[in-house]
Amino acid sequence: MVFGMTDTIPTEFEVLDERFAAIGGDDRVEILHTGTRWAEGPVYFPAGRFLAWSDIPNERMLRWDEMTGAVGPFRQPSGYTNGNTLDREGRLISCEQGNRRVTRTEHDGSITVIADRWEGRRFNSPNDAVVHSDGSIWFTDPPYGITSNYEGVVAEQEIDGCHVYRADPVTGEVRVVADDFARPNGLAFSLDERLLYVADTQARYLRVFEVGEGGTLGGGKVFAAGGDPDRYDGLRLDDTGRVWAAAGKAVLCHDPDGTLIGRLRLPEFTANLVFGGLKRNRLFIAASSSLYSLMTNVTGARPVWAGR
């Protein structure tokens, strides 16, 4: 990539509710990179001013430098890493589909295994993770990484079901917090962490749970329902509590009451997203073969490493 030269496409916001009318940004979406087989798991590192994301079938992670626009390797092999996030200390948390585990990359570059089994049985293929302010790590476990060799390593499913888990920050105990999903995928806490939103890609809806004392979940009603091709995947919140979701060839925006108020249309199927940049107002989107970026007038939710 030549410094200062970035391909762009017209920004296509679709207003479905007047509450979305004031949302905007640049009139063109930047294509920061193209050439992945299935882009996923974008995570922004503010200290280094760069973004890393997964290219699952190629078993690698890539790195985009905000200062120069250069793209290069971040990690290869990556264990077919899917979702990524940062913990309270700014360390990378990754869901390694191929290795069937959740890991943390320490500041010295070494890797610590957070969880790779539940009751002695290997996970299916951890997909996405979110960190609570108490340090606990919550993650989803559909079987996409073991059904073929395309996104992981084909293997037998050892756990009867696809669940949502919580890893305790003190004891390391891993327990099921929700067990009635078809294909749990993206997840995100509300601003006050009293709610947990979880996408079920196969069922094509978002559910919302009440977070109780000790990391329990209650409720689980449908927050928003999609259709074809709006299969919900990765989730993020902005600082007003709106839920932004990768779904179909778009990023959907839901009001905190669940109403779909608008969408950002894209030419490829979206997988995941993250707010980044110095002011958290740059939306990065991993979609099929490309990494997209749009400077917006929306600010992402305060991340857990920044305190809540």
Side-chain angles (χ1 to χ4, degrees), residues 19 28 45 50 156 162 205 278:
R19 288 169 286 185
R28 298 191 70 83
F45 292 80
F50 70 90
E156 293 295 324
C162 301
Y205 54 51
L278 289 177

Side-chain angles (χ1 to χ4, degrees), residues 37-87:
R37 280 197 161 90
W38 181 240
E40 251 285 10
V43 56
Y44 181 79
F45 292 80
R49 299 285 301 276
F50 70 90
L51 180 129
W53 79 103
S54 303
D55 180 7
I56 304 175
N58 283 325
E59 201 190 351
R60 64 177 179 172
M61 291 181 66
L62 297 173
R63 179 185 187 276
W64 170 80
D65 188 281
E66 188 172 19
M67 303 298 289
T68 66
V71 172
F74 179 80
R75 177 175 292 169
Q76 190 171 16
S78 65
Y80 295 94
T81 289
N82 190 324
N84 300 282
T85 192
L86 299 181
D87 72 1

Side-chain angles (χ1 to χ4, degrees), residues 104-115:
R104 179 178 66 233
T105 301
E106 308 295 348
H107 293 305
D108 64 3
S110 61
I111 293 178
T112 298
V113 177
I114 301 298

Side-chain angles (χ1 to χ4, degrees), residues 79 81 83-85 92-105 111-117 123 125-131 136-141 165-167 174:
T81 289
N84 300 282
T85 192
L92 177 65
I93 304 296
S94 297
C95 293
E96 299 180 14
Q97 288 191 161
N99 294 326
R100 302 167 74 171
R101 66 186 189 177
V102 179
T103 63
R104 179 178 66 233
T105 301
I111 293 178
T112 298
V113 177
I114 301 298
D116 62 358
R117 283 173 170 77
F123 293 120
S125 54
N127 184 282
D128 210 352
V130 64
V131 179
S136 59
I137 298 171
W138 303 56
F139 59 96
T140 54
D141 187 41
Y165 295 88
R166 176 186 184 271
V174 177

Side-chain angles (χ1 to χ4, degrees), residues 183-200:
R183 294 291 185 270
N185 203 315
L187 67 174
F189 285 110
S190 62
L191 300 183
D192 60 8
E193 297 185 318
R194 294 180 179 178
L195 301 174
L196 178 69
Y197 301 96
V198 186
D200 193 320

Side-chain angles (χ1 to χ4, degrees), residues 44 46 49 66 275-284 295:
Y44 181 79
R49 299 285 301 276
E66 188 172 19
F275 287 98
L278 289 177
K279 298 180 180 179
R280 300 198 308 278
N281 64 339
R282 189 169 189 170
L283 180 60
F284 296 94
M295 194 73 76

